[in-house]
Amino acid sequence: MIEFLKKYKAFLYGLLIQRIAVVVLLYFNFIYIDDSGVLANMLSFIFSWLLISLPIHYFSFLKKHKATSLKLLILIFVFFVIIINDVNSKIIDNPITFVGLVGVGLSFFAILAPSYFKKNALMIIGFYVLALGYFYYIRIYIDDLNSYFQQEKEIKIILTVPFFVLLLTWFYQQWKWMKTIESKKTKAELSLLKSQINPHFFFNTLNNLYGLIIEKSDDAPSVVLKLSDIMRYTIYMGKEDVVLLKDEIEYLKNYIELHKIRYQKRVDIVFNHDYEINYQIAPLLFIIPLENAFKHGVESLTEDAYIHINIKIDAHIVYFDIENNFEVQESSPTAGIGIQNLKQRLKLLYPNKHKIQIEVNNSIYKLALKIEMT
């Protein structure tokens, strides 16, 4: 709420200025407010409030565009001149006032949103020409005073409402545009994060394969096949928004098997998982902590190395946890870019729907991740 008020504080300032201006004008009898015209008064209030607030809201923009600022200041001055002239004139419901207010409103909008106004100008101007024509008709040809005043209030509403419809549709289009930009930015960030993950993974895997080839190991062909499956998944499925959880599990199993072939020492690897065929999840989330477990744990230990992994689904929530031991002299594995990328991806993909916890206790590293799938 505080952030919202800070962002739109210009409208609070505009409201304060507008109320002060109304009190001063009423005090000196420059304006008169008819208490019976509730809707017309409300629309006039909103119109004058926006007329003052929007230039304040766009102050930083207007500082760079002095010509636009000058036009708006002149327009605000003209607005008050029209109001004061209407109060002081002897003409009841001065037609000049209607034309002036419509002109000020449209000019104001044309200055702040020229391209949008230009796109709708023909329809807007056409409507106001007809509306003003109707106003002059009832003013000249209707003799019954009570009937005239009733229709005069109606015409005020008819003249004012389209302006607010135009303004609201413009705000809606601006909101849609901002959401589109935000979506494109999010996708670009995700693509960047994925590109940071994949080269790191392939670099390590190719190093493994290179070592086996140098040793002329019989396991090299098996590694090539598993590497082919891993690469196919990473390249083709990694670019998808979501993948089947069972495919992600198979991907992790291939990765584990590849490392089992590489290491000559005994490594206690336990992978417990649920097979839920219909569950979908963003790809390449679990590979980072698994890769870190091998890199910072298994590779640094000469014996008794272990990795325990669990994937569980319960009530539309995916639980992933991984635990491994590591050499105490090693630097903390939480400092790597991989985990930071994982956290950033989770923020983008599952905002307010995930929780990640990391615990480092002596030589034990634990990572627990919970993702809500609803």
Side-chain angles (χ1 to χ4, degrees):
M1 184 63 181
I2 300 298
E3 290 298 321
F4 178 84
L5 291 175
K6 285 181 180 179
K7 187 175 181 180
Y8 296 102
K9 60 184 178 181
F11 293 91
L12 296 177
Y13 295 149
L15 178 62
L16 181 63
I17 294 169
Q18 193 262 4
R19 297 319 297 163
I20 293 172
V22 168
V23 170
V24 171
L25 292 172
L26 283 171
Y27 180 80
F28 289 103
N29 294 319
F30 287 140
I31 61 172
Y32 168 75
I33 298 177
D34 182 8
D35 294 333
S36 64
V38 178
L39 183 57
N41 290 339
M42 184 177 68
L43 293 173
S44 299
F45 158 72
I46 297 173
F47 178 80
S48 57
W49 175 33
L50 292 175
L51 191 68
I52 296 169
S53 301
L54 286 173
I56 300 173
H57 186 66
Y58 287 103
F59 178 73
S60 58
F61 169 80
L62 296 175
K63 279 173 64 178
K64 300 176 184 178
H65 300 79
K66 294 182 179 180
T68 302
S69 304
L70 183 61
K71 289 177 184 177
L72 286 175
L73 286 174
I74 293 172
L75 210 56
I76 293 171
F77 175 75
V78 170
F79 170 74
F80 283 108
V81 167
I82 290 170
I83 297 298
I84 294 169
N85 177 71
D86 182 66
V87 173
N88 293 330
S89 68
K90 303 295 182 180
I91 305 171
I92 298 175
D93 299 319
N94 194 339
I96 296 174
T97 303
F98 282 90
V99 176
L101 290 178
V102 170
V104 166
L106 295 180
S107 300
F108 179 76
F109 199 85
I111 291 170
L112 286 181
S115 58
Y116 183 76
F117 180 81
K118 186 177 180 181
K119 186 170 70 173
N120 299 279
L122 188 62
M123 180 179 64
I124 297 165
I125 294 171
F127 172 84
Y128 276 111
V129 167
L130 292 173
L132 287 170
Y134 176 66
F135 168 73
Y136 282 111
Y137 168 78
I138 63 172
R139 197 177 192 286
I140 294 170
Y141 293 103
I142 293 189
D143 298 325
D144 182 8
L145 192 61
N146 290 330
S147 178
Y148 164 71
F149 276 122
Q150 180 60 36
Q151 288 182 300
E152 179 267 334
K153 288 180 181 178
E154 292 174 359
I155 198 67
K156 278 184 179 178
I157 297 169
I158 290 171
L159 289 173
T160 312
V161 167
F163 174 77
F164 293 110
V165 171
L166 185 70
L167 194 63
L168 288 173
T169 54
W170 178 69
F171 274 124
Y172 175 70
Q173 287 206 356
Q174 294 299 303
W175 176 79
K176 275 180 59 179
W177 176 76
M178 289 179 66
K179 286 295 181 182
T180 302
I181 294 297
E182 185 179 338
S183 176
K184 288 181 179 178
K185 181 183 176 184
T186 300
K187 288 181 179 179
E189 288 177 350
L190 282 173
S191 296
L192 177 61
L193 290 171
K194 285 182 182 179
S195 70
Q196 289 176 333
I197 294 167
N198 296 345
H200 180 56
F201 166 74
F202 285 127
F203 177 76
N204 287 342
T205 306
L206 288 171
N207 270 348
N208 295 347
L209 180 58
Y210 176 76
L212 291 173
I213 293 172
I214 291 296
E215 296 172 2
K216 296 182 180 179
S217 171
D218 294 335
D219 292 325
S222 177
V223 171
V224 170
L225 288 175
K226 291 188 179 298
L227 178 59
S228 175
D229 289 338
I230 290 173
M231 289 182 68
R232 186 181 299 109
Y233 183 89
T234 307
I235 293 170
Y236 293 108
M237 302 305 294
K239 65 182 180 182
E240 298 294 329
D241 294 331
V242 291
V243 296
L244 290 174
L245 180 58
K246 70 179 185 68
D247 292 338
E248 188 76 3
I249 290 171
E250 286 299 320
Y251 174 69
L252 297 178
K253 288 171 70 176
N254 280 336
Y255 184 85
I256 292 169
E257 289 301 316
L258 190 149
H259 277 282
K260 281 183 176 179
I261 293 171
R262 176 192 174 197
Y263 294 116
Q264 300 299 320
K265 59 188 176 183
R266 183 181 178 276
V267 181
D268 177 23
I269 300 176
V270 179
F271 186 10
N272 298 314
H273 56 81
D274 291 345
Y275 255 132
E276 294 289 345
I277 297 175
N278 296 324
Y279 271 84
Q280 292 184 320
I281 195 167
L284 307 177
L285 291 178
F286 306 138
I287 187 63
I288 297 171
L290 178 58
E291 189 175 16
N292 281 348
F294 280 106
K295 180 180 178 182
H296 297 284
V298 175
E299 291 186 8
S300 66
L301 293 167
T302 55
E303 58 183 10
D304 298 327
Y306 76 87
I307 300 174
H308 294 168
I309 312 154
N310 295 287
I311 296 179
K312 181 183 176 182
I313 299 96
D314 183 26
H316 301 287
I317 298 176
V318 175
Y319 296 91
F320 171 87
D321 64 82
I322 184 168
E323 178 182 324
N324 66 275
N325 56 345
F326 63 94
E327 186 69 38
V328 177
Q329 288 79 9
E330 286 281 312
S331 60
S332 174
T334 60
I337 189 173
I339 295 298
Q340 296 303 319
N341 281 342
L342 174 61
K343 289 180 178 179
Q344 185 63 22
R345 283 193 72 203
L346 288 168
K347 285 180 182 179
L348 294 171
L349 292 167
Y350 300 102
N352 303 317
K353 289 188 175 184
H354 75 278
K355 184 178 181 180
I356 184 169
Q357 289 182 316
I358 297 174
E359 294 180 15
V360 181
N361 185 14
N362 294 327
S363 61
I364 306 299
Y365 177 88
K366 295 180 182 179
L367 181 146
L369 174 59
K370 181 177 75 172
I371 302 174
E372 296 178 23
M373 305 305 294
T374 54

